[in-house]
Amino acid sequence: MNHSRTVVFGNQMMKSHFSAQNAPFLIPIVALPLALFSSMIQAEQRNPYQIAISGEAFATGALGGEDEMLVGMEFKYFFLPTTPFHPFLAAGYKTDIDKEGSAVDIVYADVGSQWDFAEFWGNRAFLEASIGAAYINEEIAVSLLDREANNSYSDFDFKASLGLGVEWQKAFGTTLVVNQYGSNDLTGGLCFSYAF
């Protein structure tokens, strides 16, 4: 989302950018190979479905100027559940907590993979990466002397994610995640999941 937008109210002009000139591109570079790679080495059967809730804060990008925290829900379906690489499809929705001034809603779909790299006391540690597309809608409210003016901006862009997590007792998971929305907006957060 490298576009700028201008809103004019009478004699007042307000300009907003979804931009950060030095955008991080490390996540898609790392996410794509892991998302597409899988191994046929036998491993223990795992649950194919997962539902998760998450919270994340903006590290860079214009969306984080007023919308500092996102909360959301995600659903994943895992393929090849008997291999140490678990390819998956994911879909989710995220929204910001503070609706004052502006509000952000993100709907996305990803393809990715988890890689089991360690096991301890029946719990598994994993890395995950995914890449996909996101629809981002931002609504901006400006208070004028006699009224409140509202404007909405939306765009499709790519999304990428990296995570490091642990699944406890083959059901409950905790994951540290970094998400990139487009070329500008980067978030970091924590995800809690349940596999079934």
Side-chain angles (χ1 to χ4, degrees), residues 111-138:
V111 59
S113 184
Q114 282 186 356
W115 172 55
D116 299 341
F117 68 87
E119 186 172 330
F120 56 96
W121 303 306
N123 306 308
R124 67 181 185 92
F126 61 86
L127 290 170
E128 72 174 24
S130 64
I131 192 164
Y135 173 77
I136 303 173
N137 183 68
E138 183 179 18

Side-chain angles (χ1 to χ4, degrees), residues 143-173:
S143 295
L144 303 175
L145 292 176
D146 57 341
R147 63 189 171 86
E148 186 176 88
N150 296 289
N151 286 280
S152 179
Y153 305 93
S154 58
D155 200 0
F156 280 98
D157 217 324
F158 78 89
K159 174 189 175 291
S161 178
L162 289 176
L164 173 64
V166 176
E167 186 179 73
W168 311 96
Q169 303 304 311
K170 302 178 184 178
F172 300 97

